Amino acid sequence: MKTQVAIIGAGPSGLLLGQLLHHQGIDNVIVERRSGEYVLSRIRAGVLEQGMVDLLREAGVAQRMDAEGLPHDGFELAFDNRRVRVALDELTGGSKVMVYGQTEVTRDLMAAREAVGATTIYEAGNVQPHALDSDCPYITFEKDGETVRLDCDYIAGCDGYHGVSRQSIPKERIKEFEKVYPFGWLGVLSDTPPVSDELIYARHDRGFSLCSMRSATRSRYYLQVPLDEKVENWSDERFWEELKRRLPKEVANKLVTGPSIEKSIAPLRSFVVEPMQYGRLFLVGDAAHIVPPTGAKGLNLAASDVNTLYRLMVKVYQEGRTDLIERYSQTCLKRIWKAERFSWWMTSMLHTFSDQDDFNSRLQLAELDYVTSSEAGLTTIAENYVGLPYEPLE
Ligand code: APR
Ligand code: PHB
């Protein structure tokens, strides 16, 4: 087989890149190790920055998002039994975010790819990139008992944190930066109306909690839990009781509870690899970086990497500008580190840490009070939350 761009991984990064390239007449094949149903069964975040919304529109996959997504022009921070609103649009000159689940984004991208007849090979075994530092890279994989070779010009490693792409770069050519937090998030999805029209990020001495949503009838809630916590130890009843204890009283009183339809624990991690390219291989999204979910940046960072790689590829194929593609990593990393900083900061300010003494607890409250009582403070939260501008290519 032969294509122009071989894409490893059919998560949001791979599918969005594939769709944008296809629109520009750049041939691509996606190779994914799981089935399509499995990819869609993963429940992930759901807040899209304006830049990602625009990119989905450019890719021609925004119809359902525009009809069913919930535009949000603010969110709340709760601490010390108080609630402070971060008025995103007023503080940023009109920017908003869109609440629309990653699962739905993925579903729309899959449908669009099928409609244009582009090739995705699901359930591909032992995917391996080869000859990355040559002009003729290729990937191999196993499908239906046979080994298939896919020749290409470039390889996009969109295969997430545990993927093969980053692992195939020689160790001495990259540097990894990592911070692991001593807790995870226990998430529950339920068909109950959201407790509030806007998201609430709540700090409490018992731990952080988040009230989010997927629609007017479907809610997503999270609780900070110790890293070694087991999901089996959390009955629905225990989850709702704990959530109520961590929320301001008037919010807890309004909470509508119901059976969970999904419950899982995710660890929190900050991670970046530099550089994000090796020869003809480009790392995109979770393959290159992870953020803790507190700033809602994971999916959005993947979209900004896709934006950069897509525009650089268009320059290559339409203008012959093979020189610019060398700047992929440095262009992406500028924005990534700012999102890493914001996600780490929000995490540090809102969670309880196992070694937390009263002094640190008071500092956290002072910091929250300080940033939320000044327009400058609120603006710095708002402009990061709606998403910093995409970096120019030249
Ligand atoms: N070969 C082929 N496919 C692979 C391999 C492999 N060796 N390893 C992983 N994959 C596939 C996974 O099965 C998955 O479908 O790559 C895909 C990667 O998807 P994601 O992990 O969702 O990563 P990405 O597409 O970069 O999505 C952005 O941002 O913070 C997050 O929640 C957010 O998942 C979202 C991510
Ligand atoms: C979610 O709805 O799943 C969600 C929202 C905001 C976050 C993280 C997760 O910061």
Side-chain angles (χ1 to χ4, degrees), residues 44-47 185 199 201 210 212-214 220 222 293-296:
R44 298 270 176 85
V47 177
W185 278 17
L199 271 63
Y201 291 79
L210 169 62
S212 182
M213 67 195 73
R214 290 292 176 271
R220 180 75 167 157
Y222 295 95
T294 326

Side-chain angles (χ1 to χ4, degrees), residues 193-209:
V195 70
S196 167
D197 290 343
E198 295 186 338
L199 271 63
I200 304 175
Y201 291 79
R203 184 215 170 270
H204 191 278
D205 285 339
R206 295 183 66 87
F208 170 78
S209 63

Side-chain angles (χ1 to χ4, degrees), residues 8-15 31-34 38-39 42 44-45 102 124 126-128 157-165 284-287 289-291 297-303:
I8 306 179
S13 298
L15 288 165
V31 182
E32 160 66 50
R33 76 166 162 195
R34 303 284 191 171
Y38 181 93
V39 171
R42 294 187 291 226
R44 298 270 176 85
Q102 177 177 323
N126 192 22
V127 180
Q128 293 291 340
C158 304
D159 49 353
Y161 181 68
H162 300 286
V164 67
S165 299
V284 182
D286 278 17
H289 43 77
I290 297 289
V291 285
K297 291 284 156 256
L299 177 59
N300 292 301
L301 269 189

